[in-house]
Amino acid sequence: RGSTLVEFAIVALPLIIMMMAMFDLGFREYISIQLAGALDKSARQVTVGTATNVATIKASVTSQIKDILPGATVNVVPSSYDAFSKVGKPELITTDTAPTGVYNKGDCFEDENGNGVWDADSGLNGTGGSDDIVYYNATVTYPEIVPMRRLLGWSATETVTGTAMMKNQPYASQADPAVICS
């Protein structure tokens, strides 16, 4: 007669934990999709030239996310490149001296970002200019909705990242990068 209660006690705890975990993962995915949509919408404003200010882009994405998660912290970092193939890549070494394959003294390189030094990432901070590729990297940190992480002894905050990449309109010509030799 009491076996049903014992069976329920055995099954209920794992079932409740599984349901909480599924809700937590589902909400995390929902935030990830909303972040992707907010990034795409804001990036589109840059590509058509209606908003080129980094602060405006950050405010737009933050506003859209905070409508869902008022306690969230949103960070958006745009970087610009002159071609899709150069996103996240180092500046091109044009003359390579031993040891080859790495930048060292005596090498020449295309100074993509115009700062006069070789960089492992050739991008510029900001939304770039005409015909540039803009890569947006956003991070949303928010307090967990369901206490799953705390039950496992982890941090009580969730972090979701999202990226978007769009090309600005070609409303002017781009200058070719200078070749610098050290």
Side-chain angles (χ1 to χ4, degrees):
R1 295 188 167 198
S3 66
T4 305
L5 185 60
V6 171
E7 289 172 358
F8 178 75
I10 292 171
V11 172
L13 185 60
L15 183 65
I16 290 170
I17 289 173
M18 245 180 11
M19 287 173 50
M20 288 171 58
M22 287 183 353
F23 178 78
D24 191 51
L25 289 172
F27 188 75
R28 181 182 174 88
E29 187 61 24
Y30 172 70
I31 295 301
S32 178
I33 290 167
Q34 293 300 314
L35 178 61
L39 278 172
D40 285 345
K41 181 179 177 183
S42 298
R44 179 73 180 138
Q45 292 173 347
V46 172
T47 62
V48 296
T50 59
T52 56
N53 184 339
V54 175
T56 305
I57 303 308
K58 289 180 179 182
S60 175
V61 173
T62 300
S63 170
Q64 293 175 61
I65 296 300
K66 287 205 177 224
D67 286 346
I68 303 163
L69 284 169
T73 303
V74 182
N75 187 28
V76 181
V77 179
S79 301
S80 64
Y81 302 84
D82 68 348
F84 282 108
S85 62
K86 295 180 181 179
V87 174
K89 302 275 176 41
E91 292 177 318
L92 180 66
I93 299 172
T94 57
T95 305
D96 201 4
T97 59
T100 60
V102 295
Y103 178 76
N104 50 37
K105 192 158 180 65
D107 288 349
C108 297
F109 65 94
E110 286 185 4
D111 190 16
E112 297 286 339
N113 54 21
N115 66 356
V117 294
W118 182 85
D119 295 301
D121 185 347
S122 63
L124 281 168
N125 290 331
T127 57
S130 171
D131 217 25
D132 278 346
I133 309 307
V134 185
Y135 178 76
Y136 300 88
N137 188 0
T139 305
V140 175
T141 305
Y142 61 94
E144 66 181 349
I145 304 299
V146 179
M148 286 302 301
R149 298 175 64 80
R150 281 181 282 192
L151 287 174
L152 297 172
W154 299 343
S155 168
T157 60
E158 294 269 359
T159 301
V160 175
T161 59
T163 60
M165 193 172 4
M166 295 217 177
K167 184 172 184 168
N168 290 341
Q169 295 293 322
Y171 48 84
S173 61
Q174 286 184 324
D176 290 332
V179 174
I180 297 177
C181 298
S182 59

